[in-house]
Amino acid sequence: MIKQIRKITKKIGAVPIFILLIGCGPTYKILVKMTPVSDIDGELIVNKDNSVSALKDEVKITVEFLDREKLEKIATYYYRNPYLNESKGFFTVFNIIIENNRDDKISLDIAKCVLLDGLGNQYNAVSMDFFKGLYPATVGQSYTYSPVIDQYASSIYYTDDYYKMKNVEKTLFKSGEIFSKVVSRGLVVFENVGREAPQVTFIIPSISLIIENQEAKNIDFKFKFNQEVNFEKK
């Protein structure tokens, strides 16, 4: 075997052999962890489950970063998961719970949410239309030859993109009005924030407090998270 490698090396050089050898190395999973940061004033409460909550004008918002382990629970099979694959996550994802404890309804547009990485970059929340463009295929058609009837029979099947889109529809937070005493929840999704960012700020802006016969008042919520990136051998 060694003699064969030496003969090949003489003919094509050592560099291709080196590339061949390193190509057989281990692969890794990228594991991202974000830990919420409490504030000095005590407005942000870090909970035992690693989520963080804030209360303003009788509107309570709880935010939790979803790591790989939690995102994997969204779909039974990774190839039907819209947010990750075997090795890495495609997005930075937060689960939010909004509790409207007011006597009046509130309104928000989730597309206005932003993520700041502290390095001069801003990430905007991706919309349902973005995912419709990302996973457009819904059904496929296959053909099977039948010697009995000497014909090809066609059958319709659902593609992986169909199931990915269904999982997006089930999990993504829906913009609009939240009536009094109602709790609304869902995911807010961003393109992957830079792994070199040590801390990120998640902002939910312009939540409108709708008061009858009065001008609406807007409030913002800000949550900070420390980011840690690790690699796990598969």
Side-chain angles (χ1 to χ4, degrees), residues 56-60 98-108 176-183 207-217 219:
K56 287 184 182 180
D57 293 292
E58 297 183 275
V59 176
K60 182 181 179 182
I98 300 180
E99 302 175 45
N100 179 16
N101 298 308
R102 299 171 56 80
D103 293 327
D104 303 288
K105 60 187 177 181
I106 63 175
S107 177
L108 76 156
E177 296 179 340
I178 302 175
F179 284 81
S180 174
K181 314 307 177 187
V182 170
V183 178
I207 295 180
S208 296
L209 309 181
I210 302 171
I211 307 172
E212 190 174 355
N213 300 322
Q214 293 185 34
E215 186 176 348
K217 173 186 174 182
I219 57 175

Side-chain angles (χ1 to χ4, degrees), residues 32-37 50 64-67 92-94 115 193-195 197 199-200 224-228:
V32 180
K33 180 181 179 182
M34 288 196 187
T35 306
V37 180
N50 215 34
E64 179 188 17
F65 170 74
L66 295 191
D67 58 18
T92 297
V93 183
F94 295 90
L115 196 63
V193 67
R195 301 310 182 207
Q199 188 177 89
V200 300
K224 290 188 176 182
F225 293 81
N226 291 328
Q227 177 176 239
E228 180 183 340

Side-chain angles (χ1 to χ4, degrees), residues 30-228:
I30 301 174
L31 302 178
V32 180
K33 180 181 179 182
M34 288 196 187
T35 306
V37 180
S38 59
D39 62 341
I40 299 175
D41 300 327
E43 293 183 0
L44 299 178
I45 306 300
V46 176
N47 305 306
K48 291 182 179 180
D49 62 357
N50 215 34
S51 64
V52 58
S53 300
L55 178 65
K56 287 184 182 180
D57 293 292
E58 297 183 275
V59 176
K60 182 181 179 182
I61 298 184
T62 300
V63 176
E64 179 188 17
F65 170 74
L66 295 191
D67 58 18
R68 181 176 183 88
E69 182 179 353
K70 292 172 182 174
L71 285 175
E72 285 177 343
K73 296 178 181 178
I74 290 174
T76 305
Y77 308 104
Y78 76 86
Y79 48 83
R80 291 181 179 176
N81 194 313
Y83 306 120
L84 52 76
N85 66 9
E86 282 185 292
S87 301
K88 64 179 181 179
F90 303 134
F91 303 97
T92 297
V93 183
F94 295 90
N95 182 53
I96 68 169
I97 301 172
I98 300 180
E99 302 175 45
N100 179 16
N101 298 308
R102 299 171 56 80
D103 293 327
D104 303 288
K105 60 187 177 181
I106 63 175
S107 177
L108 76 156
D109 181 0
I110 212 67
K112 293 181 178 180
C113 291
V114 296
L115 196 63
L116 309 179
D117 67 359
L119 302 174
N121 301 306
Q122 174 178 315
Y123 303 80
N124 298 317
V126 298
S127 65
M128 188 73 74
D129 287 339
F130 169 86
F131 282 107
K132 288 179 180 178
L134 187 62
Y135 305 124
T138 56
V139 296
Q141 191 170 19
S142 63
Y143 296 89
T144 305
Y145 176 73
S146 174
V148 177
I149 59 175
D150 193 24
Q151 288 183 356
Y152 282 91
S154 65
S155 59
I156 302 297
Y157 64 92
Y158 292 108
T159 65
D160 291 336
D161 278 354
Y162 170 86
Y163 291 102
K164 287 179 181 178
M165 195 60 220
K166 283 296 181 183
N167 283 321
V168 170
E169 292 172 351
K170 287 192 296 184
T171 57
L172 205 65
F173 194 97
K174 309 298 190 301
S175 298
E177 296 179 340
I178 302 175
F179 284 81
S180 174
K181 314 307 177 187
V182 170
V183 178
S184 186
R185 67 191 71 210
L187 304 185
V188 181
V189 181
F190 301 90
E191 291 186 26
N192 264 335
V193 67
R195 301 310 182 207
E196 67 278 8
Q199 188 177 89
V200 300
T201 303
F202 175 36
I203 303 175
I204 305 175
S206 304
I207 295 180
S208 296
L209 309 181
I210 302 171
I211 307 172
E212 190 174 355
N213 300 322
Q214 293 185 34
E215 186 176 348
K217 173 186 174 182
N218 290 336
I219 57 175
D220 301 337
F221 286 80
K222 295 182 180 181
F223 304 90
K224 290 188 176 182
F225 293 81
N226 291 328
Q227 177 176 239
E228 180 183 340

